[in-house]
Amino acid sequence: MPETAPTSPVRVDAWLWSVRVFKTRSEATTACRAGHVTIGGDPAKASLKISPGTTVRVRRPGHEIVLEVVHTHAKRVGAPVAQRAYRDHSPERIRPRDVGLPVRPRGAGRPTKRERRQLDRLRGDF
């Protein structure tokens, strides 16, 4: 399967789809329209052409993905090839369990009145 030349400019939505950041190209286009994809601090239109060396930021629920373009692909490629197409500069994701927030065991039922008050105090909801 021939790959696109690594120096040819490609649409940002096509590149995000080809390197498997989004499952479908329409999802990538929708994210661009919503302003979740930025290049150089400015929201990127889906039709914006990118080339190697460009830094692309994608906002996802709960975290941000920062990718530096190494190779451009217009068609979807396999996962090993996709990982070589960018350098990931994303900040480390912080999960609630890593911060030390209390987690109720699954299936423990509703919190008691005492537990609910403790949770309210912890969250700052008085």
Side-chain angles (χ1 to χ4, degrees), residues 3 5-6 21 24 32 41 47 51 66 107 117 121:
E3 294 181 15
V21 175
T24 64
C32 289
S47 62
S51 55
V66 182
R117 286 181 179 155
R121 253 186 257 116

Side-chain angles (χ1 to χ4, degrees), residues 32-65:
C32 289
R33 283 190 190 135
H36 298 298
V37 178
T38 58
I39 296 176
D42 299 323
K45 285 188 171 184
S47 62
L48 182 71
K49 301 281 186 178
I50 59 170
S51 55
T54 307
T55 301
V56 180
R57 292 177 174 268
V58 180
R59 230 180 13 186
R60 299 286 242 172
H63 68 285
E64 183 179 44
I65 302 170

Side-chain angles (χ1 to χ4, degrees), residues 32-108:
C32 289
R33 283 190 190 135
H36 298 298
V37 178
T38 58
I39 296 176
D42 299 323
K45 285 188 171 184
S47 62
L48 182 71
K49 301 281 186 178
I50 59 170
S51 55
T54 307
T55 301
V56 180
R57 292 177 174 268
V58 180
R59 230 180 13 186
R60 299 286 242 172
H63 68 285
E64 183 179 44
I65 302 170
V66 182
L67 304 174
E68 179 186 346
V69 179
V70 175
H71 299 289
T72 55
H73 299 286
K75 300 292 181 187
R76 195 161 172 101
V77 293
V81 177
Q83 288 177 341
R84 291 192 300 266
Y86 59 83
R87 284 193 198 99
D88 192 357
H89 299 292
S90 303
E92 188 174 334
R93 291 176 69 176
I94 299 173
R95 295 186 170 91
R97 67 172 182 258
D98 297 338
V99 178
L101 294 176
V103 178
R104 285 184 62 77
R106 190 170 176 94

